[in-house]
């Protein structure tokens, strides 16, 4: 298996600087930004949430705002042509489902480096992606 260049790379972001650094690292592994698929996963709202009950917010509005924020954050010329995805659900599952559906060669993501109790309580998206992914996963530590 050749390390360079990759045909399709999935890069999950959470709007942290570390996650956008992962996008920059992934750019080094491809011949063009069009091979990158940046994904942001939003939680599913509980139907009893006040904003849902009063219809002040819905998934389409949340998707549109997230896409706009991603486009603004990734507006630099080097990011032109990359693919943006906004999903709803549990991040680990949605990231690996997207990677599988795209037949991705690699997933590149940052790790927050949590350990012990904080990892146990908060869970680890990186750990779940590693377990569920059909392709190699490159985890970047901060």
């Amino acid at each position: 298996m050749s390390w360079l260049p990759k045909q399709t790379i999935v890069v999950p972001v959470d709007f942290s600087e570390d996650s956008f650094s992962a996008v920059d690292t992934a750019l080094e592994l491809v011949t063009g930004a069009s091979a990158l698929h940046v994904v942001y996963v939003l939680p599913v709202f509980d139907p009893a949430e006040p904003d849902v009950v009063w219809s002040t917010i819905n998934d389409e509005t949340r998707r549109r705002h997230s896409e706009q924020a991603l486009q603004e954050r990734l507006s630099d010329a080097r990011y032109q042509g990359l693919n943006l995805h906004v999903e709803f659900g549990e991040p680990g599952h949605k990231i690996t489902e997207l990677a599988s559906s795209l037949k991705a060669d690699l997933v590149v993501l940052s790790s927050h480096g949590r350990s012990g109790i904080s990892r146990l309580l908060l869970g680890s998206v990186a750990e779940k992606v590693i377990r569920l992914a059909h392709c190699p996963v490159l985890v970047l530590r901060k």
Side-chain angles (χ1 to χ4, degrees):
M1 175 174 85
S2 171
W3 278 101
L4 297 171
K6 298 296 183 194
Q7 298 297 314
T8 305
I9 297 180
V10 172
V11 186
V13 295
D14 61 4
F15 284 92
S16 68
E17 284 306 312
D18 289 336
S19 69
F20 287 109
S21 291
V23 174
D24 293 334
T25 299
L27 272 174
E28 297 173 18
L29 302 174
V30 295
T31 55
S34 63
L36 291 185
H37 292 264
V38 175
V39 59
Y40 178 58
V41 182
L42 290 162
V44 175
F45 273 160
D46 181 340
E49 291 273 340
D51 288 331
V52 175
V53 171
W54 295 102
S55 300
T56 58
I57 193 164
N58 59 39
D59 286 345
E60 190 51 42
T61 303
R62 294 171 65 210
R63 179 184 306 278
R64 194 171 52 252
H65 286 150
S66 298
E67 287 171 349
Q68 183 178 11
L70 283 170
Q71 288 170 350
E72 287 173 10
R73 178 58 176 84
L74 298 168
S75 62
D76 194 88
R78 69 179 180 254
Y79 301 123
Q80 295 308 307
L82 61 75
N83 303 282
L84 301 177
H85 303 267
V86 176
E87 302 288 336
F88 294 91
E90 194 282 317
H93 284 105
K94 289 299 181 179
I95 293 163
T96 56
E97 286 172 11
L98 178 65
S100 181
S101 70
L102 294 170
K103 296 179 175 54
D105 300 312
L106 181 67
V107 175
V108 177
L109 71 153
S110 64
S111 170
H112 295 292
R114 293 186 180 103
S115 61
I117 293 295
S118 65
R119 188 184 84 207
L120 180 66
L121 294 175
L122 298 173
S124 172
V125 172
E127 187 175 343
K128 188 167 280 188
V129 170
I130 291 168
R131 279 190 291 115
L132 297 175
H134 77 285
C135 62
V137 178
L138 175 59
V139 179
L140 306 171
R141 291 191 58 125
K142 64 176 185 171

